Amino acid sequence: TPTYVGNHGVEFLRNGRLEVAPGAESSRDALVGVVDHLKAADLQHQVFWKEKKYSVAGHFRRTSDPQGVTAALAEALETAPGVEGLEVFWGSMLIEIRSRLGLDKGHAVRCLVEEHSLAGAIMIGDDRTDVDAWLELRRMTGGSKIHGVSVAVVRSESDPEVVAAADYSLEGVAEVASFLAYLERSVPGALTAT
């Protein structure tokens, strides 16, 4: 049975049952307050907000002035009520705000590897938040728990530090699809979902 992970390890869907990390609900009010404050500062409506209950992501890939949007959001954060109780992450034309639980994609990868007794894992990503998973894979690989591989999806606006953190890179989503098709052909069962 597949296990689905959301919100960087805050939510796990196992056997049709949603499990939420302890403490996640307690930061909901602060999260809503900070995001409402940031939305009010986004007078040009250049940020697309994606609310995920225990975290919120603001994407601004389509703006003509990403540095200006970043500066405006950073300035608004300075006066946002309750922001000190939350974690703020900046990605590639993205701001993400979530509970200060210490959970990240590395936590999620570790849980999946341990829960399913995986011998190997491939983590494909394209942003700073994926680096936590890659570092955890590297730690587990170094400890001989698993064989882990990290793959960065490279786009024109990719952060060079994110690309450098991965073991390998692929150019865009089309190459990811080709890579996955290659794995499926070459290693039957390699794409078992967890």
Side-chain angles (χ1 to χ4, degrees):
T1 304
T3 299
Y4 300 95
V5 183
N7 276 318
H8 306 275
V10 172
E11 300 170 300
F12 279 77
L13 182 62
R14 295 178 176 105
N15 301 316
R17 200 173 117 245
L18 180 64
E19 301 168 18
V20 177
E25 193 65 47
S26 64
S27 60
R28 274 288 299 145
D29 290 341
L31 183 62
V32 169
V34 168
V35 172
D36 286 348
H37 184 81
L38 293 178
K39 284 180 179 179
D42 180 24
L43 301 177
Q44 301 295 321
H45 305 292
Q46 298 183 75
V47 181
F48 170 74
W49 295 98
K50 186 174 181 182
E51 300 187 30
K52 306 179 226 174
K53 191 166 183 180
Y54 303 110
S55 68
V56 175
H59 299 268
F60 45 99
R61 285 193 172 114
R62 295 186 178 170
T63 182
S64 60
D65 183 17
Q67 288 87 5
V69 173
T70 301
L73 288 171
E75 184 178 328
L77 273 174
E78 292 176 14
T79 58
V83 72
E84 64 281 346
L86 301 169
E87 292 183 348
V88 177
F89 296 88
W90 294 94
S92 177
M93 292 185 259
L94 164 87
I95 182 173
E96 184 166 288
I97 305 159
R98 61 184 186 231
S99 304
R100 194 178 287 279
L101 296 175
L103 302 179
D104 57 31
K105 290 183 182 179
H107 162 78
V109 165
R110 184 175 51 259
C111 287
L112 289 171
V113 166
E114 291 172 356
E115 181 177 318
H116 296 278
S117 302
L118 299 178
I122 299 171
M123 170 58 184
I124 301 172
D126 67 350
D127 215 319
R128 288 181 186 264
T129 60
D130 297 312
V131 173
D132 296 321
W134 299 340
L135 293 173
E136 183 60 25
L137 275 178
R138 197 165 289 131
R139 187 189 69 73
M140 290 188 296
T141 298
S144 298
K145 278 189 167 184
I146 66 163
H147 297 287
V149 176
S150 58
V151 181
V153 182
V154 180
R155 301 180 314 268
S156 60
E157 68 272 8
S158 292
D159 182 333
E161 291 180 23
V162 172
V163 176
D167 298 321
Y168 300 96
S169 63
L170 296 169
E171 294 290 328
V173 175
E175 271 198 16
V176 172
S178 296
F179 171 66
L180 294 175
Y182 165 80
L183 276 180
E184 188 63 30
R185 285 190 314 273
S186 303
V187 187
L191 298 183
T192 302
T194 58

